[in-house]
Amino acid sequence: MKELASTKVLNELTKRIEQGDWEPGQKLSSLTGLAKEFQVGVSTVREALRIMENRGYLLIEHGRGVYVRSRNYWHNDASLELTQLPVGDLFSLLEFRGLLEPEMAALAAERGSPGQIRNIKQAASVMIDDLAKGQDYYSSDIAFHEYIAEACSNEVMAKVMKGISDLLLESRRKTTRIPGSAQKASHFHMLIALAIEQRNAPLAKEMMRAHLEDVKQDSMKLKQPNELKQPNELKQSKNKGSKESKESK
């Protein structure tokens, strides 16, 4: 499987910090500078930095910059290792999100500042653009949900969403195998963003619930391998089976 741009940036930054290229307390280059260095979008760098902040490698001070933290802050929770998230755990994650995120969308519509709401809508727009250009859209996807959490004006909710950002990334990696899944998600994001922008809490809640239910239905297909095959693949598989059956007679 091709390595995602966000994963590549994450791994390279982690490697540099662990081998001492940057000292504790040292300030990293700007988002734009890092994006240029790695030849990726700013949103991709932003997501990698957020994950590294969750893992204790970095301290992000809004308006000031991003700083390297000392080794005693570093941690990597193996229980949240993304590349090994089973389908069963994916459903556990969706169940958790279904309980929390519709309420968060409603709170964001009620409490979000104009700036926070702009960020939510911008993330939805960027995801649509990234998909249209065939670019890595995972960063804007996850940023959308984290911005909603921040707009709730509830620190616990914001920290919870940042804490599961790795799991959200892996769940999106899995469901992206399903044709049309990402496109549907991007359209739901915009509908949710518009409801929040209109301060329509009930609609924002309902759209988020519908979005997560759609993701759940798509995830069910991960248990049915044939559902993930394109029509021509199914036809080839069927013809192969028919040929083998004739040869065995």
Side-chain angles (χ1 to χ4, degrees):
M1 181 182 294
K2 183 180 179 181
E3 185 178 43
L4 295 173
S6 53
T7 302
K8 181 179 180 181
V9 174
L10 174 64
N11 291 339
E12 180 60 27
L13 289 175
T14 301
K15 177 183 176 182
R16 291 187 188 181
I17 291 176
E18 290 182 344
Q19 66 187 18
D21 290 0
W22 291 306
E23 297 293 330
Q26 185 173 345
K27 183 179 180 180
L28 299 190
S29 301
S30 65
L31 284 175
T32 304
L34 290 172
K36 184 177 181 180
E37 178 181 349
F38 288 103
Q39 297 183 324
V40 297
V42 170
S43 62
T44 298
V45 174
R46 183 182 291 112
E47 184 54 35
L49 295 181
R50 285 185 178 185
I51 292 175
M52 294 190 70
E53 182 184 33
N54 293 339
R55 294 179 179 178
Y57 285 86
L58 299 173
L59 174 64
I60 299 177
E61 296 188 0
H62 296 288
R64 294 190 58 192
V66 180
Y67 299 85
V68 177
R69 303 191 79 176
S70 60
R71 184 177 293 272
N72 58 300
Y73 286 100
W74 302 354
H75 62 84
N76 255 319
D77 189 345
S79 67
L80 297 182
E81 209 41 62
L82 298 186
T83 56
Q84 301 177 4
L85 181 66
V87 173
D89 287 352
L90 174 58
F91 284 101
S92 295
L93 175 63
L94 286 171
E95 183 177 50
F96 170 79
R97 293 180 63 192
L99 293 172
L100 183 64
E101 291 197 64
E103 297 297 336
M104 290 171 55
L107 287 176
E110 295 172 351
R111 302 176 178 177
S113 69
Q116 289 171 329
I117 292 175
R118 279 196 300 272
N119 287 339
I120 293 169
K121 190 175 181 181
Q122 176 65 18
S125 297
V126 170
M127 182 177 176
I128 291 174
D129 290 342
D130 287 344
L131 280 167
K133 297 174 183 176
Q135 297 178 349
D136 180 355
Y137 63 89
Y138 296 98
S139 298
S140 52
D141 185 352
I142 294 172
F144 172 81
H145 292 278
E146 290 189 355
Y147 284 143
I148 288 177
E150 292 173 3
C152 291
S153 296
N154 184 307
E155 285 298 318
V156 174
M157 288 184 175
K159 288 181 179 179
V160 166
M161 290 305 294
K162 283 188 176 182
I164 65 170
S165 61
D166 284 10
L167 291 175
L168 291 176
L169 177 59
E170 177 60 12
S171 70
R172 176 50 67 192
R173 286 179 182 171
K174 288 185 178 295
T175 56
T176 196
R177 293 164 52 198
I178 302 164
S181 176
Q183 286 75 15
K184 287 189 295 180
S186 68
H187 292 141
F188 269 117
H189 281 195
M190 184 54 73
L191 290 173
I192 295 165
L194 291 173
I196 292 174
E197 184 179 51
Q198 295 165 9
R199 302 290 184 178
N200 190 331
L203 182 58
K205 180 177 180 178
E206 184 56 36
M207 287 294 97
M208 180 64 81
R209 182 181 290 113
H211 169 39
L212 295 176
E213 180 59 30
D214 186 71
V215 173
K216 181 178 180 181
Q217 291 302 316
D218 277 348
S219 300
M220 292 291 291
K221 298 176 183 177
L222 293 172
K223 293 184 175 181
Q224 304 167 5
N226 282 344
E227 291 288 339
L228 304 181
K229 294 182 178 180
Q230 298 296 330
N232 62 326
E233 293 178 311
L234 287 171
K235 184 177 179 180
Q236 291 173 3
S237 178
K238 184 177 180 180
N239 290 339
K240 180 179 179 182
S242 177
K243 182 179 179 180
E244 291 175 349
S245 177
K246 289 180 179 178
E247 291 175 347
S248 66
K249 289 182 181 180

